[in-house]
């Protein structure tokens, strides 16, 4: 399953930056290592972070996962800490952010609906 996720992720990256990132190539020296934090811009529910962390590890990054899929987070919370090659990270960062933002936005909206339903009838199960 992990290979399928990796393949799909790389397709997303290719669509986002089909010609690599020439600005990064020009500005960032080869071998530069950085530490980056993925930070929640708002309160919500984290989704797809487990898969993203696994893909980042497969791509050679050191990843510390500070939230798991389904975890509630508050604004400003660090969700992932990533250490690795600056050029590679800058090349994929937009795709990582888009995937996590989209999935977490959906999870947050669903959680709100479920909470409203449960407030009316706690016995209702949402599938």
């Amino acid at each position: 399953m992990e290979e399928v996720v990796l393949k799909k992720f790389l397709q997303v990256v290719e669509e986002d930056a089909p010609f690599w990132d020439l600005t990064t190539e020009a500005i960032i020296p080869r071998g530069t290592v950085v530490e980056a934090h993925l930070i929640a811009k708002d309160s919500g529910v984290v989704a797809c972070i487990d898969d993203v962390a696994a893909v980042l590890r497969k791509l050679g990054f050191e990843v510390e996962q500070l939230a798991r899929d389904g975890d509630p987070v508050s604004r400003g919370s660090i969700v992932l800490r990533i250490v690795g090659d600056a050029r590679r990270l800058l090349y994929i960062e937009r795709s990582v952010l888009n995937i996590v933002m989209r999935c977490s936005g959906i999870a947050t909206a669903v959680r709100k609906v479920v909470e409203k339903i449960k407030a009316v009838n706690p016995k209702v199960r949402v599938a």
Side-chain angles (χ1 to χ4, degrees):
M1 179 65 173
E2 215 174 88
E3 293 302 320
V4 171
V5 172
L6 177 61
K7 185 176 179 179
K8 283 293 192 187
F9 177 79
L10 293 176
Q11 286 174 341
V12 169
V13 170
E14 178 67 24
E15 289 171 12
D16 185 50
F19 304 109
W20 190 241
D21 182 351
L22 298 177
T23 304
T24 296
E25 288 277 332
I27 295 173
I28 307 295
R30 282 192 194 283
T32 301
V33 174
V34 294
E35 178 176 322
H37 295 164
L38 194 152
I39 299 171
K41 288 179 74 176
D42 208 345
S43 297
V45 177
V46 176
C48 203
I49 204 72
D50 295 349
D51 287 331
V52 166
V55 165
L56 289 169
R57 286 184 186 102
K58 277 274 200 197
L59 294 174
F61 293 97
E62 177 188 315
V63 180
E64 180 182 3
Q65 206 173 331
L66 301 167
R68 307 282 308 178
D69 287 346
D71 285 352
V73 293
S74 56
R75 180 181 183 175
S77 298
I78 298 174
V79 177
L80 283 180
R81 186 182 73 81
I82 307 159
V83 176
D85 183 79
R87 286 180 169 196
R88 180 177 282 171
L89 186 57
L90 286 170
Y91 179 56
I92 65 170
E93 62 97 12
R94 179 53 36 203
S95 298
V96 167
L97 293 174
N98 287 342
I99 290 167
V100 173
M101 285 187 304
R102 176 85 171 150
C103 293
S104 297
I106 292 167
T108 300
V110 169
R111 176 77 51 94
K112 288 177 183 177
V113 169
V114 169
E115 287 172 355
K116 286 180 182 181
I117 292 168
K118 294 266 186 195
V120 173
N121 184 348
K123 293 181 182 181
V124 171
R125 293 181 48 99
V126 178

